[in-house]
Amino acid sequence: MATTVTLDGELDLLTTARTTGLLAAAALTTSDIVVDLRSVTFMDATGLGPLVRTACQMGRRGGRVTLVVTDPWLERVLRLARLTDLFTVVRQCGDADTYCPRHA
């Protein structure tokens, strides 16, 4: 069963440490992580860093990171950064029932 991490607000330099901590804690307990980004209002390159590091770490262990993204702008950021192949990206938790049971 996956662990769900819900992030909100801005993902940038000021929130990188908090985001890194939340994702690192989740990575200790599961092989699959769902990161719910539906309440994220802004994300820059530094905000992507913890997500990328976690996805790489999980991938080396045979796990995966699924991102729940409903904002077209955020989807565009992921696409422009060429990160859509690194993550499983879904529009709603219902698209990933087995990965997001707490939000289904």
Side-chain angles (χ1 to χ4, degrees):
M1 185 154 166
T3 297
T4 301
V5 177
T6 302
L7 301 175
D8 62 359
E10 297 183 1
L11 299 182
D12 56 15
L13 182 61
L14 297 176
T15 60
T16 298
R18 179 181 67 95
T19 302
T20 298
L22 290 170
L23 294 174
L28 292 174
T29 62
T30 187
S31 60
D32 295 321
I33 297 174
V34 173
V35 183
D36 185 344
L37 300 174
R38 291 180 289 180
S39 295
V40 169
T41 57
F42 174 82
M43 182 167 58
D44 65 10
T46 56
L48 286 171
L51 296 171
V52 170
R53 282 190 296 279
T54 301
C56 291
Q57 176 188 16
M58 299 302 284
R60 286 191 297 273
R61 295 185 355 212
R64 70 176 146 207
V65 174
T66 300
L67 303 179
V68 181
V69 179
T70 56
D71 185 335
W73 178 85
L74 196 51
E75 279 187 89
R76 185 168 186 253
V77 168
L78 293 167
R79 195 172 51 254
L80 290 173
R82 297 181 185 209
L83 295 174
T84 52
D85 291 338
L86 184 61
F87 305 102
T88 301
V89 179
V90 297
R91 289 191 158 271
Q92 51 188 321
C93 285
D95 293 343
D97 296 347
T98 57
Y99 307 125
C100 200
R102 287 188 276 170
H103 292 98

